[in-house]
Amino acid sequence: MPAVSKGDGMRGLAVFISDIRNCKSKEAEIKRINKELANIRSKFKGDKALDGYSKKKYVCKLLFIFLLGHDIDFGHMEAVNLLSSNRYTEKQIGYLFISVLVNSNSELIRLINNAIKNDLASRNPTFMGLALHCIANVGSREMAEAFAGEIPKILVAGDTMDSVKQSAALCLLRLYRTSPDLVPMGDWTSRVVHLLNDQHLGVVTAATSLITTLAQKNPEEFKTSVSLAVSRLSRIVTSASTDLQDYTYYFVPAPWLSVKLLRLLQCYPPPEDPAVRGRLTECLETILNKAQEPPKSKKVQHSNAKNAVLFEAISLIIHHDSEPNLLVRACNQLGQFLQHRETNLRYLALESMCTLASSEFSHEAVKTHIETVINALKTERDVSVRQRAVDLLYAMCDRSNAQQIVAEMLNYLETADYSIREEIVLKVAILAEKYAVDYTWYVDTILNLIRIAGDYVSEEVWYRVIQIVINRDDVQGYAAKTVFEALQAPACHENLVKVGGYILGEFGNLIAGDPRSSPLIQFNLLHSKFHLCSVPTRALLLSTYIKFVNLFPEIKTTIQDVLRSDSQLKNADVELQQRAVEYLRLSTIASTDILATVLEEMPPFPERESSILAKLKKKKGPGTVTDLEEIKKERSSDMNGSAEPTSVNSTPSPSADLLGLGAAPLTNSAPPPSSSGSLLVDVFSDSASAVAPLAPGSDDNFNLSLKTGLEKKNTITSSFVPAYGMFVCKNNGVLFENQLLQIGLKSEFRQNLGRMFIFYGNKTSTQFLNFTPTFLCLNLQTKPVDPTVDGGAQVQQVVNIECVSDFMEAPILNIQFRYGGTFQNLSVKLPITLNKFFQPTEMSSQDFFQRWKQLSNPKQEVQNIFKAKHPMDAEITKAKIIGFGSALLEEVDPNPANFVGAGIIHTKTTQIGCLLRLEPNLQAQMYRLTLRTSKEAVSQRLCELLSEQF
Amino acid sequence: MLHILLAPAAYQQIPARGYGDLLIYRQSCSCLALIQLCRRAQVSKAQPFKIHFILLFSRQGKLRLQKWYTTLPDKEKKKIIREIVQIILSRNQKTSSFVDWKDLKLVYKRYASLYFCCAIEDQDNELLTLEVVHRYVELLDRYFGNVCELDIIFNFEKAYFILDEFIIGGEVQETSKRSAVKAIEDSDMLQETVEEYMNKPAF
């Protein structure tokens, strides 16, 4: 029984704790606890009213039991009773129990809130402190509702004690974090900012935390805090080590406050006021200078506190990213730390340098440390530090050192800790792609990656290598050769089999000329791995085999034999069995022509997210896209492949791509796939009622043009389309509507291909009979939609479109059906216009004008001057140009009022580069539109189309 | 010239079974996917300093104190404690005091037989967190006089009160040792009833 109890010790509690500690086994401990729980329960339930001391003691025991890891389901009421005790220590234990144990049990919270309210009103600073601590500890929404209005008043009241102010500031911060909506901004905010000037450093410390969080959400309102923070910081930094008395920590003046002030300043750009800015720069320089001074104490606390401030100052310097001099000094300082004997400092230096590497001013300076970092990767004993080294290598990587860094990472990967392998694999894959000048290097790197750390190579990584190989014909032969060689290894990773299977299936023919890799050898090599692989890989290999049937007719029979074997045809796995059966059948009955079509080489992968999307997302706020910077970087680093980031979770029939065989029963109102790409699809995201929800407000521009469509809708009976024009810049909307029928469209285009979903909605309650849409356009194979459309129902039709060459006239959709007794006939132009096949092209100002000059032949240019039909709003105009399909190039035209766009029209046969320039004249309400393309007809057509839009 | 190939609507109805391996590639053609997977590839913005929780445990892995500044269900807390104690006890002496753990960073230090561990946000100031721990140990030391593990076991409630004086809601409230200790000692003196207390001039 130790005599370590202080204050008003509770003997019973100490005895109980000793008992527990003396228990020899877990069982004995549990027994003792159960005995105590039973005792406490009976005491709480007993008739005799417990005095405050006993209640406190028992509540404390419960707390102890809870902290041992046992569940406590009673005693809450007693704890709440203690809150209203007159004795401070009882109250304190009551609050402690509640802070540790209460979750938002609404019944109890109301009682607790009552007690808190009383204590807050008591004007006794100690009690107020307890109440505020409790609010901050629990921080539930109910508490925020009850006190979010009260606490700001306490915080800024003139007569509040300093210690209460500190608690109130942090308590408010906690409530603001959990329920920002409940904390009202008001005139207290400006007074909170002035707490930065408070005499009491403790108050300033607490207030700075609060202000930082508030300023992040409401930067405008707290702008004045910047100059106050700078002057406070400057006073601290320049003070002698004893000036701040108690707030000096191991000879470092107020390190906590300094760090918090530096954090606060990171919510803002560099101060605009030159005086403030100068003062801040001085502060930062002083901090950097101090790092070079000899330490005032040998204690680790001194150096930790000093360096904590230094690192925070460096964070601010990096955040501002505007003073090259400071950035380079910071980098040099960190460079010294890279070799420091303290592991912690090496760790932090590596971490900080990561962010320095992204600044253009210090990127080069960071790169000079490459050898040290690589060395750290090899010699550091702590995995956390090595991890930071990997991060830094990743961050400092650019074209100049990519090969070295990737090689070092691969090297390290062989021995790397399992916990960080996956991340290194990803990093290597990204760097190899980003900085690939030579794609053979890229292919080698990824194959190496699979060889060294196959288990850590996620699907995304090996998909990517396939995408790139398919999109780049210059590397296909090399890839086929390399995977073929890699597969020779007696034990190769399954991921390699997958990549190998896929690539040989597509490009095996490129190496088949070499007798060492003849078709049969290729096949045998792959098939030798077959039985060791998992089902998905085997399925993939079966697809490879059928592709071989097409590539190498000479081994067709061998493959057929394999497919026909029992282990395939009667495989227990339904997927494998189905593939075997279908492929065998296909190889037997299909003519070579059909085989060649069906098993054609995969087309290149679609471009990644277009600049339109990136722009649109940018407009909608940066939150939607994870890292615009990354996207930009990637685009500039001449990569080819790129796809929509949206997940296509629709069901575009997988077999349609490959075989096109499966004609399943025809059904109406199929849910449209949540299409890949265009954000505008959101307008129609609801599947079944795709046409119905033309709710206003979804997109201004869209509605604007939609109106023109709807106004005229009643005048139409069976003529051309009103809404046609609006589709030039939009892909979705209502094409046609009258009293009977509504036709909605959703379409997507990529390069020279497109797909359009047409929704026919019956607005009446009566069936349409003999419903036959026909397309007046060239050669068609017509598969009719269901000839009856029920009242209120909707049918969907899918049209696949290919742009063979440039064209002027839009196809016409003719619809005939019988409604009641009458025969209806109407025709609408389908809004498939040439600009749909635009791919936006981003280019610099210089490139643009160079190309513009190249297209100076008068036939290539078409110009139109016309009067604005709509209000001349720059934002709407931008949206229209982007919707039109070209990239909108910012900062290209010397006149910022002008709009400049560039893109490529894709047709099957050619690609036509287009440049456009739109000059608005606000006074005259006129526009001048100029188009330059390599083809006169295209210039003409695009100019016509676009002129109609403004 | 324009080809329109009419596909039956029914195409959309075929269940997405089979040949999935060929399909998947077509969905995710982008390096972006990789970058998103790579957690540390992105540098996030500075957040204000905040401790998520503090754990004290012995070298044997016995938990001595836990303080949470984020709301979590009890089950989750227990899981986290088990995991973290195991991670930290398995690290050897020469390593750094920082460990990446999920989205957070653990900062820990051993004092005699006790480990003090704080979980902070990724961009928080690690060194200063070490000093938060140290200042807390100093406060305990000042209060108990040469603090040892037993003091904390038998007076766990005091250890909580001291922590509350120092840190509220994960933020440092009072960095002056004198003020914090004084607050605790004052409260120990408060044995009298509120009536008596209120009769004295409070302000």
Short mmCIF file of all heavy atoms in Angstrom, two decimals, chain A residues 628-646:
data_model
loop_
_atom_site.label_atom_id
_atom_site.label_comp_id
_atom_site.label_asym_id
_atom_site.label_seq_id
_atom_site.Cartn_x
_atom_site.Cartn_y
_atom_site.Cartn_z
N LEU A 628 -5.35 19.05 -59.51
CA LEU A 628 -5.29 19.64 -60.84
C LEU A 628 -3.86 19.79 -61.30
O LEU A 628 -3.53 19.60 -62.46
CB LEU A 628 -5.93 21.02 -60.80
CG LEU A 628 -7.41 20.98 -61.08
CD1 LEU A 628 -8.01 22.34 -60.83
CD2 LEU A 628 -7.65 20.57 -62.53
N GLU A 629 -3.04 20.12 -60.35
CA GLU A 629 -1.64 20.33 -60.65
C GLU A 629 -1.08 19.07 -61.30
O GLU A 629 -0.40 19.13 -62.32
CB GLU A 629 -0.92 20.61 -59.33
CG GLU A 629 0.41 21.30 -59.50
CD GLU A 629 0.32 22.53 -60.37
OE1 GLU A 629 -0.60 23.33 -60.17
OE2 GLU A 629 1.17 22.67 -61.26
N GLU A 630 -1.45 17.95 -60.72
CA GLU A 630 -0.94 16.69 -61.23
C GLU A 630 -1.40 16.48 -62.66
O GLU A 630 -0.65 16.05 -63.51
CB GLU A 630 -1.45 15.53 -60.38
CG GLU A 630 -0.70 15.33 -59.10
CD GLU A 630 0.76 15.04 -59.32
OE1 GLU A 630 1.15 14.59 -60.41
OE2 GLU A 630 1.54 15.28 -58.40
N ILE A 631 -2.67 16.81 -62.87
CA ILE A 631 -3.21 16.58 -64.20
C ILE A 631 -2.45 17.42 -65.19
O ILE A 631 -2.05 16.98 -66.25
CB ILE A 631 -4.69 16.96 -64.23
CG1 ILE A 631 -5.46 16.09 -63.28
CG2 ILE A 631 -5.23 16.83 -65.63
CD1 ILE A 631 -6.87 16.53 -63.12
N LYS A 632 -2.23 18.65 -64.79
CA LYS A 632 -1.55 19.57 -65.70
C LYS A 632 -0.17 19.04 -66.02
O LYS A 632 0.22 18.95 -67.15
CB LYS A 632 -1.45 20.95 -65.04
CG LYS A 632 -2.30 21.98 -65.77
CD LYS A 632 -1.97 23.38 -65.28
CE LYS A 632 -2.79 23.75 -64.09
NZ LYS A 632 -2.25 24.79 -63.26
N LYS A 633 0.51 18.67 -64.96
CA LYS A 633 1.87 18.20 -65.14
C LYS A 633 1.88 17.06 -66.11
O LYS A 633 2.70 16.98 -67.00
CB LYS A 633 2.41 17.69 -63.80
CG LYS A 633 3.17 18.75 -63.03
CD LYS A 633 3.85 18.07 -61.88
CE LYS A 633 4.07 19.06 -60.74
NZ LYS A 633 4.23 18.42 -59.47
N GLU A 634 0.86 16.17 -65.90
CA GLU A 634 0.90 15.01 -66.71
C GLU A 634 0.68 15.32 -68.14
O GLU A 634 1.28 14.73 -69.01
CB GLU A 634 -0.18 14.12 -66.29
CG GLU A 634 0.59 13.22 -65.51
CD GLU A 634 -0.19 12.48 -64.75
OE1 GLU A 634 -0.79 11.75 -65.44
OE2 GLU A 634 -0.10 12.73 -63.59
N ARG A 635 -0.21 16.24 -68.38
CA ARG A 635 -0.51 16.51 -69.76
C ARG A 635 0.70 17.08 -70.44
O ARG A 635 1.03 16.78 -71.56
CB ARG A 635 -1.70 17.46 -69.87
CG ARG A 635 -2.23 17.46 -71.26
CD ARG A 635 -3.55 18.19 -71.34
NE ARG A 635 -4.55 17.58 -70.52
CZ ARG A 635 -5.12 18.21 -69.52
NH1 ARG A 635 -4.81 19.44 -69.23
NH2 ARG A 635 -6.03 17.61 -68.81
N SER A 636 1.40 17.93 -69.72
CA SER A 636 2.54 18.57 -70.35
C SER A 636 3.65 17.56 -70.57
O SER A 636 4.44 17.68 -71.48
CB SER A 636 3.03 19.72 -69.49
OG SER A 636 3.36 19.24 -68.21
N SER A 637 3.70 16.55 -69.76
CA SER A 637 4.75 15.58 -69.98
C SER A 637 4.26 14.57 -70.98
O SER A 637 3.73 13.53 -70.65
CB SER A 637 5.09 14.89 -68.67
OG SER A 637 4.01 14.09 -68.29
N ASP A 638 4.46 14.90 -72.18
CA ASP A 638 3.98 14.20 -73.37
C ASP A 638 3.47 12.78 -73.19
O ASP A 638 3.95 11.85 -73.81
CB ASP A 638 5.08 14.23 -74.43
CG ASP A 638 6.33 13.52 -73.96
OD1 ASP A 638 6.35 13.06 -72.82
OD2 ASP A 638 7.25 13.41 -74.74
N MET A 639 2.52 12.58 -72.35
CA MET A 639 1.98 11.23 -72.25
C MET A 639 0.80 11.10 -73.18
O MET A 639 0.11 12.05 -73.48
CB MET A 639 1.53 10.96 -70.82
CG MET A 639 2.63 10.43 -69.98
SD MET A 639 3.58 9.24 -70.86
CE MET A 639 2.29 8.06 -71.17
N ASN A 640 0.61 9.89 -73.54
CA ASN A 640 -0.46 9.65 -74.50
C ASN A 640 -1.73 9.30 -73.81
O ASN A 640 -2.69 10.02 -73.77
CB ASN A 640 -0.05 8.48 -75.37
CG ASN A 640 0.45 7.39 -74.48
OD1 ASN A 640 0.51 7.55 -73.26
ND2 ASN A 640 0.81 6.28 -75.03
N GLY A 641 -1.72 8.18 -73.21
CA GLY A 641 -2.94 7.60 -72.69
C GLY A 641 -3.49 8.44 -71.59
O GLY A 641 -2.79 9.09 -70.87
N SER A 642 -4.77 8.40 -71.50
CA SER A 642 -5.42 9.13 -70.44
C SER A 642 -6.89 8.85 -70.58
O SER A 642 -7.40 8.79 -71.68
CB SER A 642 -5.16 10.61 -70.59
OG SER A 642 -5.21 10.96 -71.95
N ALA A 643 -7.53 8.65 -69.48
CA ALA A 643 -8.94 8.27 -69.58
C ALA A 643 -9.77 9.07 -68.62
O ALA A 643 -9.27 9.86 -67.85
CB ALA A 643 -9.10 6.80 -69.26
N GLU A 644 -11.04 8.82 -68.69
CA GLU A 644 -11.93 9.48 -67.75
C GLU A 644 -11.64 8.96 -66.36
O GLU A 644 -11.47 7.78 -66.16
CB GLU A 644 -13.37 9.12 -68.09
CG GLU A 644 -13.62 9.02 -69.55
CD GLU A 644 -13.71 10.36 -70.20
OE1 GLU A 644 -13.66 11.36 -69.48
OE2 GLU A 644 -13.80 10.41 -71.41
N PRO A 645 -11.61 9.86 -65.40
CA PRO A 645 -11.42 9.39 -64.04
C PRO A 645 -12.70 8.81 -63.45
O PRO A 645 -12.67 8.10 -62.48
CB PRO A 645 -11.00 10.65 -63.29
CG PRO A 645 -11.59 11.76 -64.08
CD PRO A 645 -11.71 11.29 -65.49
N THR A 646 -13.79 9.12 -64.10
CA THR A 646 -15.04 8.60 -63.57
C THR A 646 -15.08 7.10 -63.75
O THR A 646 -14.58 6.57 -64.72
CB THR A 646 -16.22 9.16 -64.36
OG1 THR A 646 -15.84 9.16 -65.72
CG2 THR A 646 -16.55 10.55 -63.92
#
